[in-house]
Amino acid sequence: MAKLLDGVAVREQIKAELRSRIDRLRALRRAPGLAVVLAGEDPASAIYVRNKVKTCEELGIYSEKITPPETITTGALLEIVEGLNRREEIDGILVQMPLPRHVDSKRVLDAILPAKDVDGFHPVNVGNLSIGNPGPRACTPAGVIELLKRYEVPMAGQEAVVVGRSDIVGKPMAMMLLHQNATVTICHSKTRDLPGVCRRADILVAAIGRAAMIDESYIKPGAAVIDVGMNRVTDAGEVTRIWRGEARKLAQLEEKGSVLVGDVNPIAMAELASAYTPVPGGVGPLTIAMLMVNTVTLAEQHLGITASA
Ligand code: NDP
């Protein structure tokens, strides 16, 4: 029977652990502070930001939402970031992606002070991850590592295959698995014989963005499978194919107009894996939890207060 890696349960554990650190900071100096910049009106981004702000409120982290219009220029966004860099009570700055098309996203992200780069995307922090220096880590892959550790999935010496090489998931994921002493292979759209490479994996991480692409031909029986993907399927034929005609999923499609699925076929994963993350409820919940961890850790560093002191 495959073990379900429950991201909601781990998120709640992480939040419970953070409360005492936050209470301590508030008692000694002040609440940790997170600023979120949401430019424009992208509905998905608005939901992500709302959830981030809500989690801050729940935990007692000060949060500030800055919502410039879609028409904002790169220069004006740089000014906002520089203003936040200077503010003592702001420990973390998050610029929600994607930015409006005309904005130079790279310039904006690079303008965030590395010491306030709560997403871990700044080149200095990418370098810190690469050489194993402390620093904020990209939240989604950091959440995956946390999940694997808490469920005692062995990583050292294991064959890990990461499908996807994006700067926010695939590459940092591979680097973090390497730091856990896994033997890591990174795959992408040009990889030859992807199913064959994936079948070598004791730990298979899918971060692709293609609904249920990873089927039984990619999974070694007994592997731990981590599904980072979040895709919406709207076609009844596709839903039938993925869930092998499961009536519950077709009813969900009828009711909501779409069904959420990861990059891994959920039926194949449950049948073959020794441990796996469900979608929803696996990796997703951990991303915000790790954002909170990064915010609190940066606040402790800025205030010179260690977690255990
Ligand atoms: P990107 O689109 O930036 O990267 C996708 C990667 O997948 C690329 O490296 C691409 O290869 C590779 N890829 C695409 N098609 C194939 C294919 N047919 N075979 C092999 N490799 C392929 O996506 P992200 O990394 O940003 O996100 C990946 C998924 O994770 C998405 O579904 C996203 O929604 C989800 N996500 C979930 C989060 C969460 O909190 N749960 C957080 C962030 C993302 P190439 O480089 O060659 O083009």
Side-chain angles (χ1 to χ4, degrees), residues 158-162 177 182-186 200-205:
Q158 302 293 297
E159 289 278 346
V161 173
V162 179
L177 285 163
T183 302
V184 184
T185 304
I186 308 176
R200 293 208 308 254
D202 303 306
I203 301 171
L204 177 62
V205 182

Side-chain angles (χ1 to χ4, degrees), residues 20-80:
S20 58
R21 289 169 64 185
I22 295 165
D23 289 348
R24 187 177 159 78
L25 284 168
R26 289 168 69 103
L28 289 173
R29 296 287 291 280
R30 60 164 174 78
L34 176 68
V36 184
V37 180
L38 171 64
E41 324 247 300
D42 180 58
S45 297
I47 294 171
Y48 293 142
V49 167
R50 197 184 318 137
N51 288 336
K52 289 168 186 172
V53 169
K54 201 174 107 214
T55 312
C56 284
E57 280 165 7
E58 204 188 305
L59 289 174
I61 293 175
Y62 169 76
S63 70
E64 201 169 294
K65 190 165 98 174
I66 298 132
T67 54
E70 181 84 28
T71 50
I72 188 157
T73 60
T74 302
L77 262 173
L78 287 172
E79 272 174 36
I80 291 175

Side-chain angles (χ1 to χ4, degrees), residues 48 139-141 163-170 186-191 194 206-211 213-214 218 227-231 261-263 282-288:
Y48 293 142
C139 298
T140 301
V163 190
R165 55 173 164 183
S166 71
D167 292 337
I168 60 168
V169 190
I186 308 176
C187 300
H188 45 78
S189 64
K190 307 289 186 294
T191 298
L194 186 62
I208 311 164
R210 296 197 186 256
M213 187 188 104
I214 303 292
Y218 295 68
D227 190 355
V228 181
M230 292 208 289
N231 313 286
V261 69
D263 292 337
V283 176
L286 292 170
T287 299
I288 293 187

Side-chain angles (χ1 to χ4, degrees), residues 74-102:
T74 302
L77 262 173
L78 287 172
E79 272 174 36
I80 291 175
V81 169
E82 276 149 19
L84 292 168
N85 280 342
R86 284 192 293 270
R87 280 176 55 194
E88 193 272 337
E89 76 283 18
I90 298 295
D91 300 294
I93 303 170
L94 184 156
V95 177
Q96 185 65 45
M97 293 291 137
L99 285 172
R101 276 166 171 277
H102 61 273

